[in-house]
Amino acid sequence: MKKRILIIGASGQIGTELTAYLRKRYGKHKVIASDIVEGDPAMLKEGPFEILDAMDYDAVQDVVIRHEITDVYLMAAMLSATAEKFPMKAWNLNMNSLFNVLNLARDKKIEKIFWPSSIAVFGPTTPRTDTPQRTVMEPSTVYGISKQTGERWCEYYHKRFGVDVRSIRYPGLISYTTPPGGGTTDYAVDIFYKALKHKKYVCFLNAETTLPMMYMPDAIEATVGIMEAPDASVKIRSAYNLAAFSFNPEEIAATIKKHIPEFTISYAPDFRQAIADSWPQTIDDSDARTDWGWKHSYSLEQMTEDMLKNLR
Ligand code: AKB
């Protein structure tokens, strides 16, 4: 069967760029974008788009059958900060959407799934530097609990039913096309908009909060990279650690200041500080590098330059 791709959550921060990338790679009509809301008008014009509720099994199945879908990228999720405000909504969205696609694959209606995990699977008892692939995982956030549970189910469906599911633990993602929504790492995107517009930024995390981060082009390469890797090289079917660089708000502010000398940052930590403090600072992603050849391209400096150039 020829490859036909469905992206669920195509209007979000990752979904928008993933849709554009996959349409370039496989052809506009091979990639069906879907979301509960309409997104970027360019995406709607460029290829097929379906309004789709990821929690509605019948609706997802209908789109899969109508478009003869082989691969699903399930990008719909509620992120860490919003999930703390709406715990049950987050649990229902993050888990039911995953079960819908896992069950479609178990029943041989689709062939391959990408599902995003996160550094949020780790918690306050995890070693915070060079966090290994396999380590203590006691997440303290609703989002982290849903991602850790999801990882266990992915591995279970792979072992029990042979489902071809692939996943990575995204760090904070920085991009300029579509803003993120409801995450703890969102400050690292917002800071660029505020630096350009107001020359100052009030950060909701304190100056020393180091977190793992990645520029979106690298995240897209990793996402498509693991999906295109030969089956045998994907040895971990929960989710792979993935890393590029780590920084704290003071460090990214200093990097931006090299381009905008008037820029200043101040700090007003809120409830997201506790979430950030429970996450790793740096990640050991050697399994992804060895198993399926992951490598990142962008450093903090290169990302900063590219973000400012594009946002200007
Ligand atoms: C968040 O901050 O919730 C996300 C994540 C690290 O998964 N960006």
Side-chain angles (χ1 to χ4, degrees):
M1 200 202 268
K2 290 224 181 84
K3 190 183 280 296
R4 285 182 67 85
I5 297 170
L6 172 65
I7 301 168
I8 302 177
S11 304
Q13 187 198 12
I14 309 174
T16 309
E17 299 206 26
L18 185 62
T19 303
Y21 184 94
L22 289 171
R23 280 182 171 163
K24 250 194 216 141
R25 196 169 179 84
Y26 292 108
K28 289 177 188 170
H29 295 284
K30 297 263 171 59
V31 180
I32 290 60
S34 76
D35 207 301
I36 198 146
V37 289
E38 279 186 7
D40 183 13
M43 183 200 292
L44 300 184
K45 258 208 331 230
E46 214 178 66
F49 183 90
E50 296 271 355
I51 291 284
L52 184 61
D53 177 356
M55 291 200 290
D56 181 342
Y57 179 83
D58 291 336
V60 178
Q61 178 176 242
D62 174 62
V63 170
V64 160
I65 290 169
R66 252 189 310 115
H67 291 279
E68 299 178 338
I69 297 298
T70 55
D71 299 7
V72 173
Y73 289 74
L74 173 58
M75 311 312 287
M78 196 181 286
L79 298 187
S80 56
T82 314
E84 290 307 302
K85 293 183 185 152
F86 307 104
M88 284 294 98
K89 260 194 183 168
W91 178 258
N92 289 336
L93 170 62
N94 295 358
M95 299 316 302
N96 292 345
S97 59
L98 175 59
F99 279 121
N100 285 347
V101 293
L102 285 174
N103 288 333
L104 284 168
R106 178 199 60 198
D107 298 343
K108 310 282 179 240
K109 289 174 181 156
I110 51 175
E111 293 173 8
K112 213 188 255 189
I113 299 168
F114 177 84
W115 173 77
S117 188
S118 161
I119 54 162
V121 293
F122 301 115
T125 52
T126 301
R128 294 194 72 198
T129 52
D130 266 336
T131 302
Q133 174 69 40
R134 293 180 182 83
T135 183
V136 180
M137 290 164 86
E138 296 181 321
S140 54
T141 63
V142 174
Y143 174 64
I145 294 167
S146 76
K147 289 295 176 189
Q148 193 201 26
T149 311
E151 286 193 8
R152 301 323 316 147
W153 279 110
C154 286
E155 191 177 274
Y156 180 86
Y157 269 65
H158 177 72
K159 283 201 172 130
R160 171 107 198 254
F161 305 117
V163 167
D164 188 355
V165 55
R166 301 165 183 218
S167 179
I168 50 193
R169 293 173 180 152
Y170 288 125
L173 298 181
I174 298 153
S175 65
Y176 56 84
T177 308
T178 307
T184 302
T185 58
D186 294 8
Y187 91 85
V189 177
D190 203 27
I191 194 170
F192 284 99
Y193 286 88
K194 299 283 169 22
L196 284 168
K197 204 166 173 194
H198 306 298
K199 316 278 182 255
K200 60 180 183 208
Y201 180 63
V202 184
C203 186
F204 59 74
L205 300 180
N206 69 34
E208 302 84 35
T209 312
T210 298
L211 287 169
M213 300 278 184
M214 183 178 287
Y215 198 31
M216 188 60 85
D218 278 335
I220 299 292
E221 286 290 335
T223 306
V224 179
I226 191 172
M227 281 295 267
E228 291 183 350
D231 195 58
S233 65
V234 185
K235 296 181 182 131
I236 294 170
R237 296 299 181 143
S238 49
Y240 277 90
N241 276 6
L242 197 75
F245 45 78
S246 289
F247 58 77
N248 64 34
E250 201 174 11
E251 287 161 342
I252 191 176
T255 313
I256 292 173
K257 230 172 144 50
K258 286 183 196 158
H259 301 265
I260 308 174
E262 323 87 279
F263 177 61
T264 59
I265 185 165
S266 56
Y267 302 94
D270 65 15
F271 73 100
R272 289 168 281 194
Q273 185 66 50
I275 301 177
D277 287 343
S278 77
W279 289 350
Q281 296 181 325
T282 57
I283 298 280
D284 173 359
D285 62 352
S286 45
D287 282 286
R289 290 177 192 262
T290 308
D291 288 0
W292 46 274
W294 153 247
K295 55 181 189 308
H296 70 281
S297 300
Y298 284 87
S299 64
L300 168 60
E301 287 72 22
Q302 290 164 324
M303 178 271 291
T304 302
E305 215 177 300
D306 205 58
M307 279 293 285
L308 291 172
K309 188 177 86 197
N310 282 288
L311 286 175
R312 267 185 182 125

